[in-house]
Amino acid sequence: MRHVLPLILGTLLVAGTASARQQPTTAQPSIPPDVQESRAAAQTFSATLKEALQQAIQNGGPVNGIEVCHVKAAEIATDLSQKLGLLVGRTSLKIRNPENAPDNWELAVLKQFEARKAQGEPNDSLEFFAVIDDDQGQKTFRYMKAIPTASLCLACHGEHISPEVDAKLKELYPKDTARGYKEGDLRGAFTIAKPLP
Ligand code: HEC
């Protein structure tokens, strides 16, 4: 995530994987408010993006969808971040937009998600959070939630990408590595950061 300096796992103060079976927006006294807030933010981000993407594809096919992702993804993230007072973003082990590159903490969590998935955990329940000190000593709440690959995603992230989509992606993202995914793979994760007092 941009703006968040690399953080060291060794500075972990609190970490957890509160039962992810519960609905993100349900108030639960046993789950810290920062986790509930982050779950809700990730869900809003996901739903808003998916709606914009589906509409764009319906109106003008996948090439039109690329334009929307290109412009809207960052716009939605910025709007939501300002509204909620959190830093909201997306990241992945194989990124399309270099601005989505993971920092050290995010990289470790993405690898942890892959390991947990390999051990049979359902990929739609993979989440992780921690309170850490960043390298400037700022106490920060961090949260990540895995993003599974659905069939809708394959036109732009799958193994068989049409020549038109391929050309547009190459034009906008010459260093694109976010391809070759199959349905059910982990595409990446939502990532949220909140500076604490
Ligand atoms: C119409 C093409 C298209 C479709 C369909 C699509 N994406 Fe993307 N995706 C993009 C583009 C373009 C970007 C780069 C956005 C940016 O510039 O931040 C992107 C970026 C991402 C990122 C951010 C990390 C990165 O690689 O930069 C994630 C995570 C992601 N997509 C997940 C998905 C998922 C999950 C689906 C299916 C629900 C999906 N995408 C469907 C085009 C698409």
Side-chain angles (χ1 to χ4, degrees):
M1 187 197 286
R2 276 171 289 167
H3 316 303
V4 180
L5 294 161
L7 298 156
I8 301 160
L9 267 176
T11 59
L12 277 184
L13 302 175
V14 187
T17 57
S19 168
R21 294 190 187 275
Q22 290 120 359
Q23 287 305 307
T25 48
T26 309
Q28 284 163 41
S30 59
I31 297 176
D34 286 336
V35 176
Q36 296 182 32
E37 189 182 33
S38 298
R39 284 181 179 174
Q43 211 178 43
T44 304
F45 190 21
S46 172
T48 312
L49 251 180
K50 210 173 263 180
E51 199 185 305
L53 181 61
Q54 270 165 336
Q55 211 163 54
I57 292 175
Q58 238 167 38
N59 293 343
V63 173
N64 188 43
I66 296 172
E67 289 288 356
V68 167
C69 276
H70 181 60
V71 178
K72 279 263 170 119
E75 241 174 56
I76 294 170
T78 306
D79 281 359
L80 208 58
S81 298
Q82 279 168 0
K83 205 159 73 189
L84 302 175
L86 306 164
L87 281 169
V88 180
R90 293 187 301 171
T91 189
S92 176
L93 290 172
K94 294 200 294 173
I95 47 164
R96 173 153 291 162
N97 185 336
E99 301 209 330
N100 297 327
D103 66 22
N104 290 342
W105 188 80
E106 289 167 328
L107 191 63
V109 176
L110 287 166
K111 288 180 180 166
Q112 180 219 95
F113 284 170
E114 288 290 356
R116 284 163 61 188
K117 179 178 189 286
Q119 284 172 356
E121 237 182 279
N123 59 11
D124 58 357
S125 69
L126 291 166
E127 67 172 1
F128 188 73
F129 54 86
V131 175
I132 55 184
D133 285 332
D134 72 12
D135 57 5
Q136 301 187 326
Q138 170 65 53
K139 204 167 149 193
T140 307
F141 175 80
R142 305 281 309 258
Y143 172 92
M144 285 175 73
K145 171 107 175 68
I147 307 175
T149 307
S151 63
L152 162 72
C153 321
L154 300 179
C156 301
H157 295 293
E159 295 178 296
H160 308 290
I161 290 178
S162 76
E164 306 82 63
V165 168
D166 180 55
K168 189 75 197 170
L169 287 175
K170 282 188 175 137
E171 179 193 320
L172 294 172
Y173 304 97
K175 293 184 180 157
D176 181 22
T177 59
R179 293 161 176 245
Y181 289 91
K182 294 190 279 295
E183 200 173 339
D185 285 347
L186 292 183
R187 175 60 266 274
F190 294 106
T191 177
I192 291 168
K194 181 183 178 184
L196 297 175

